[in-house]
Amino acid sequence: MSVKKILRTNLQQMIFLGIVVAMKIILGQFSIGPTTVKVGLGFIGSVLLGYFFGPVWGTIGGGISDLVSSAIFGNQGGFFIGFTLTAMAGPLIYALFLYDKPVKIWRIIASTILVTLIVNIGMNTLWLHIMYNLDFKAALIQRLPKETIVPWIQMVVIYFVLQAVSRVKIKK
């Protein structure tokens, strides 16, 4: 598949991408907890970016959502490019499992576990270590209880969200 074909899209798809990016930004504002263990709804936007737009546009949408969110709402501790990479990695992983594929429980479980391990535990803990000069092991230990409980709740939410949107005929 050529790069031209991957990047080619139409106005209707771009508008829909903008709507999903806006949804991710808004859902990302609904969170609780301190910076090191924040729990929120932004993951739904990441899932939808991956599910509807695939790895290329889902990743781009994730990056745009972080940049726009940082510009509008600011980030505690200031802008950090690492979190933009995190915002791009989530939709990429979800896209690899969910884009143009039937909604299956194993796909939801596998993608959520990979996002939890690679993005939430790995990348985000590293960024917190770099930004706040936290001891990596201490930050990891502080984050692990959240990262062992929250993904299971996310899997249930993702299943119901994808079941609902898969019934809606949206032209890809």
Side-chain angles (χ1 to χ4, degrees), residues 145-156:
K146 173 218 167 204
E147 297 301 341
T148 55
I149 297 167
V150 171
W152 302 102
I153 299 165
Q154 289 177 342
M155 289 177 207
V156 173

Side-chain angles (χ1 to χ4, degrees), residues 106-155:
W106 75 266
R107 292 182 191 281
I108 294 168
I109 293 171
S111 61
T112 305
I113 288 174
L114 281 175
V115 167
T116 300
L117 292 173
I118 296 169
V119 177
N120 299 347
I121 294 175
M123 294 172 76
N124 282 345
T125 305
L126 178 63
W127 309 145
L128 292 169
H129 164 71
I130 291 170
M131 277 187 72
Y132 300 111
N133 202 22
L134 297 173
D135 179 60
F136 187 85
K137 285 183 182 177
L140 188 61
I141 290 169
Q142 185 180 13
R143 293 170 53 77
L144 277 178
K146 173 218 167 204
E147 297 301 341
T148 55
I149 297 167
V150 171
W152 302 102
I153 299 165
Q154 289 177 342
M155 289 177 207

Side-chain angles (χ1 to χ4, degrees), residues 46-172:
S46 293
V47 170
L48 293 177
L49 283 169
Y51 178 78
F52 284 121
F53 299 102
V56 174
W57 285 106
T59 301
I60 291 169
I64 290 169
S65 72
D66 183 71
L67 296 173
V68 171
S69 180
S70 295
I72 294 173
F73 301 109
N75 288 334
Q76 186 176 355
F79 174 78
F80 182 68
I81 193 70
F83 290 116
T84 304
L85 296 174
T86 295
M88 296 169 78
L92 172 64
I93 293 170
Y94 286 121
L96 295 174
F97 283 88
L98 303 171
Y99 181 65
D100 275 345
K101 295 176 178 77
V103 176
K104 300 282 185 191
I105 292 173
W106 75 266
R107 292 182 191 281
I108 294 168
I109 293 171
S111 61
T112 305
I113 288 174
L114 281 175
V115 167
T116 300
L117 292 173
I118 296 169
V119 177
N120 299 347
I121 294 175
M123 294 172 76
N124 282 345
T125 305
L126 178 63
W127 309 145
L128 292 169
H129 164 71
I130 291 170
M131 277 187 72
Y132 300 111
N133 202 22
L134 297 173
D135 179 60
F136 187 85
K137 285 183 182 177
L140 188 61
I141 290 169
Q142 185 180 13
R143 293 170 53 77
L144 277 178
K146 173 218 167 204
E147 297 301 341
T148 55
I149 297 167
V150 171
W152 302 102
I153 299 165
Q154 289 177 342
M155 289 177 207
V156 173
V157 172
I158 291 168
Y159 177 78
F160 286 110
V161 167
L162 292 182
Q163 285 296 313
V165 299
S166 68
R167 283 182 254 158
V168 177
K169 300 296 179 211
I170 297 174
K171 200 175 196 181
K172 290 186 183 182

